[in-house]
Amino acid sequence: MNIHDLLTEQTIFLPLETSASKEDIIRQMAAGFKEAGVVEDTEKYVQAVLAREQSSSTGIGFGVAIPHGKSAGVVKAGLAFAKLAEPAEWQSLDEQPVSIVFMIAVPEANVGNEHLQILVALSRKLIHEDFRNKLLHASSAEEVIDTIKNM
Amino acid sequence: MKKLLAVTACPTGIAHTYMAAESIEKAAKDRDVPIKVETRGAVGVENELTPQEIAEAHAIIIAADTDVDEARFAGKPVVKVAVSQGIRIPGELIEQALAKTPSAGSPAASSEAPVKENAARRGVYKHLMNGVSNMLPLVVAGGLIIAISFLFGLHPAEGSIGAKLASIGSAAISMMVPILAAYISYSIAGGKLGLAPGLVGGLLATQVGGGFLGGIIAGFLAGYVTKWMIKYIKLPKVMEGLKPVLIIPLLSVLIVGLLMVFVIGTPLSWLMNGLTSWLEGMGQANAVILGGVLGAMMAIDMGGPFNKTAYTFATGLLASHIYGPMAAVMAAGMTPPLGIWLATVIAKKKFTKEEREAGKVASVLGLSFITEGAIPFGAADPLRMIPAFMIGSGVTGALSMLFKATLMAPHGGIFVLLIPNAIGNLLMYVLAIAIGTVLTAILVTWFKRNKPIEE
């Protein structure tokens, strides 16, 4: 399983210029998914992600948020990464603004286990500070992909 | 060293479950606390906690927004929070869990318990317990209602309140074995698809005279047949919807039914015929040995072929005015539940709270000659309990014959004592039952494993 299948240049935003609204960030990243062929029906997917945010914020603390959605609008599993130019409010658990966003797209139908395994490994890794720091200081898409590849 | 366990889960099962797991593991490592974290996410249950680990754990942290099958932690100290708290304050959760005091008895019990038991054995025990715990209310209600009906006389007139009560009690008792089989099957099949074949198999087990052991066989048969069908029957996508509503119910009930009738039922009727002629042959031999054999037969399957044959044999002799075997049979049928009751009194630590409560009910059922009162204990651990019951009942039956006790009524238990002249050599008869009860209790206590994870 290759990380390139999940994370492509179109879905890496270094940095993401933003008006600092949560929905705006999600929409910009969803547009990246559309370009990469991960998402077909962008609106459907965005609604799924926003619905998930409604139930409880995906801001997990440490300046990281992981919005995600499972939707019929998704063609194949995908991952998007954004380093925000300005930290954004995300109603995080620790009430700190967010500067790293990982967005996850999962199709409605059963997704291959390997994809899930990568997302699982990534989730676990995000708990560790050195991993987060590497991502925060990454200056190119390759560096981001490399960091995740070697996690 | 205090060991901790944790379970994490969230609705999507992709991110939070694993972040919480990782962050709890990290916090535990920082504190040098051994921990194992089960994750219940989109890739299934990973790192699953075993019953033994649960038994040995100091406390359990649950960080979850969905159901995590908490029943298995019954009696253990639990720190329960939302999954997000698992990510945010893992250190605090670990401190809280360490500060919990384990409930009395359980650490000792778990360290004494035979440690190495393979997963299959534990699985079998879990399935049995699922059947037994669902059957228990029927035993209690049915047994007690029958006992109450005796208060209105042993032969209540048709249509009288006593007769009505007796039929209500019998209705409850008659569903014991089907429910036992149904919930064993439910547990194995992992869902409600197991119920129908289990119920039918259990009912057939009683009809062919298989008793509760037949019910256990039916339950396991139904459970594995259903599980196998769920796994291996593949249908084209358009017909997939038919699988749970039509295909599996039809085939599982049919297969289990055929197996029960032909593979289990036929040999059972041969067995019962063979046993009857064997007992008839023994009638002329030593009376004490006959009493012992009848007694052991009463206890071996409590309602199964051996029990039925012994009981029918003894009641048949009543017509020929031979009253000794009937006395032996009733005494031996009373000692399993009475012995269980005594065991739960003298060895409290070996029984869970639920079992001790069931023990109290068993005393009333034993006094009323409702041997079924011991079935929940026998079904939960047949290999250890049934030998104890058999030896106790065998000795009781032999003593009853030795003391030349006689009984003219085919049922009633202690209520028969109130009828003048129904029992010959009454005092010695009571002594035989008392000795059998004590012996059964000692053997039950001796054979029984220490109690499992409950409490």
Side-chain angles (χ1 to χ4, degrees):
Chain A
M1 173 68 213
N2 197 324
I3 186 74
H4 288 287
D5 288 357
L6 283 175
L7 188 64
T8 57
E9 301 226 354
Q10 292 106 310
T11 59
I12 296 178
F13 302 86
L14 275 179
L16 184 71
E17 297 296 343
T18 164
S19 59
S21 112
K22 192 168 164 177
E23 186 175 338
D24 184 47
I25 294 165
I26 291 171
R27 287 194 180 277
Q28 288 196 47
M29 293 177 80
F33 274 148
K34 171 92 180 174
E35 236 175 274
V38 168
V39 166
E40 201 172 69
D41 187 335
T42 318
E43 193 50 37
K44 223 175 185 172
Y45 170 69
V46 169
Q47 287 312 321
V49 175
L50 291 176
R52 172 63 190 82
E53 290 294 330
Q54 281 285 313
S55 71
S56 72
S57 170
T58 58
I60 55 160
F62 335 104
V64 180
I66 43 151
H68 51 275
K70 194 173 182 179
S71 158
V74 179
V75 183
K76 57 176 190 169
L79 185 64
F81 171 83
K83 192 161 86 178
L84 304 183
E86 294 290 328
E89 174 50 38
W90 211 278
Q91 299 92 41
S92 292
L93 293 168
D94 59 0
E95 290 164 11
Q96 297 301 309
V98 158
S99 41
I100 290 181
V101 178
F102 270 106
M103 191 152 91
I104 300 166
V106 179
E108 189 81 3
N110 271 350
V111 59
N113 238 0
E114 308 107 6
H115 289 89
L116 285 181
Q117 292 291 5
I118 287 192
L119 298 176
V120 163
L122 177 66
S123 301
R124 281 181 174 273
K125 208 65 197 172
L126 280 171
I127 293 297
H128 298 275
E129 198 181 351
D130 50 347
F131 182 73
R132 293 197 303 268
N133 280 338
K134 263 191 203 159
L135 289 173
L136 263 180
H137 298 118
S139 51
S140 68
E142 272 125 64
E143 221 173 301
V144 171
I145 292 177
D146 272 353
T147 308
I148 295 173
K149 211 172 179 176
N150 300 323
M151 68 187 176
Chain B
M1 177 60 88
K2 291 174 178 174
K3 283 188 205 166
L4 295 183
L5 297 177
V7 185
T8 63
C10 63
T12 329
I14 291 171
H16 286 73
T17 302
Y18 301 95
M19 291 182 159
E22 186 76 15
S23 108
I24 290 170
E25 277 168 11
K26 185 166 168 259
K29 207 173 163 195
D30 290 346
R31 287 166 177 74
D32 270 332
V33 176
I35 195 163
K36 177 173 168 184
V37 185
E38 173 181 293
T39 51
R40 299 170 86 88
V43 288
V45 178
E46 288 179 306
N47 220 10
E48 191 168 358
L49 308 176
T50 68
Q52 187 181 331
E53 284 164 342
I54 294 170
E56 287 171 1
H58 175 78
I60 293 138
I61 298 170
I62 301 176
D65 294 341
T66 56
D67 177 49
V68 296
D69 184 12
E70 272 173 67
R72 58 197 164 135
F73 305 136
K76 280 280 174 188
V78 166
V79 177
K80 195 180 169 193
V81 293
V83 69
S84 56
Q85 301 300 86
I87 302 172
R88 204 166 72 86
I89 49 159
E92 271 172 53
L93 296 179
I94 286 173
E95 299 299 340
Q96 278 180 33
L98 289 176
K100 291 260 178 187
T101 35
S103 48
S106 67
S110 60
S111 57
E112 281 167 31
V115 191
K116 295 282 168 201
E117 274 203 281
N118 60 46
R121 283 273 296 280
R122 280 197 301 269
V124 166
Y125 181 77
K126 191 184 113 195
H127 304 320
L128 278 175
M129 281 316 293
N130 193 47
V132 169
S133 61
N134 282 295
M135 165 181 75
L136 202 55
L138 290 170
V139 184
V140 171
L144 290 179
I145 292 170
I146 291 178
I148 292 168
S149 83
F150 289 156
L151 296 174
F152 295 88
L154 293 182
H155 299 285
E158 205 166 314
S160 71
I161 182 72
K164 299 275 191 239
L165 287 174
S167 73
I168 294 170
S170 308
I173 291 284
S174 72
M175 279 183 292
M176 273 172 60
V177 172
I179 289 294
L180 171 69
Y183 281 91
I184 289 173
S185 172
Y186 181 96
S187 170
I188 296 168
K192 61 184 178 187
L193 280 174
L195 283 179
L199 270 175
V200 174
L203 190 58
L204 289 169
T206 29
Q207 284 173 2
V208 300
F212 85 100
L213 291 177
I216 291 177
I217 293 172
F220 277 91
L221 209 58
Y224 284 112
V225 164
T226 311
K227 191 178 175 182
W228 184 84
M229 285 183 174
I230 293 171
K231 199 166 166 190
Y232 289 106
I233 292 187
K234 296 268 182 268
L235 291 174
K237 212 157 196 169
V238 286
M239 288 169 68
E240 189 65 23
L242 286 180
K243 197 171 129 179
V245 295
L246 175 69
I247 309 288
I248 291 184
L250 173 65
L251 290 181
S252 63
V253 170
L254 188 63
I255 290 174
V256 170
L258 289 171
L259 285 172
M260 288 310 293
V261 171
F262 289 105
V263 182
I264 309 287
T266 311
L268 271 180
S269 64
W270 293 339
L271 176 68
M272 287 170 79
N273 287 337
L275 283 170
T276 307
S277 42
W278 181 60
L279 285 176
E280 277 161 0
M282 255 176 87
Q284 285 84 30
N286 188 317
V288 175
I289 294 176
L290 176 66
V293 169
L294 285 174
M297 283 172 69
M298 286 302 287
I300 184 169
D301 53 4
M302 299 179 279
F306 288 91
N307 170 291
K308 276 213 173 72
T309 308
Y311 182 78
T312 312
F313 176 76
T315 49
L317 290 177
L318 290 181
S320 329
H321 305 288
I322 300 169
Y323 301 120
M326 191 67 243
V329 158
M330 187 167 92
M334 291 168 73
T335 53
L338 284 175
I340 276 289
W341 159 74
L342 188 60
T344 58
V345 172
I346 59 177
K348 282 198 175 75
K349 281 191 179 163
K350 284 209 170 189
F351 295 89
T352 63
K353 188 150 180 273
E354 194 189 16
E355 284 173 328
R356 290 201 297 273
E357 295 303 321
K360 288 177 193 156
V361 177
S363 68
V364 180
L365 302 187
L367 288 173
S368 313
F369 181 37
I370 298 167
T371 319
E372 282 87 346
I375 288 184
F377 295 87
D381 196 4
L383 294 180
R384 291 184 179 77
M385 292 299 101
I386 288 179
F389 296 155
M390 278 176 68
I391 298 170
S393 292
V395 168
T396 310
L399 285 176
S400 170
M401 291 296 269
L402 180 68
F403 297 156
K404 300 203 169 17
T406 57
L407 172 65
M408 297 166 78
H411 61 270
I414 200 169
F415 297 92
V416 184
L417 304 185
L418 307 174
I419 301 169
N421 301 325
I423 296 176
N425 213 351
L426 178 62
L427 272 184
M428 295 308 273
Y429 187 55
V430 172
L431 179 67
I433 294 173
I435 292 172
T437 301
V438 172
L439 178 62
T440 306
I442 291 169
L443 292 173
V444 163
T445 310
W446 183 25
F447 292 164
K448 189 170 171 32
R449 279 183 304 179
N450 284 298
K451 69 181 167 197
I453 52 177
E454 286 92 343
E455 284 198 290

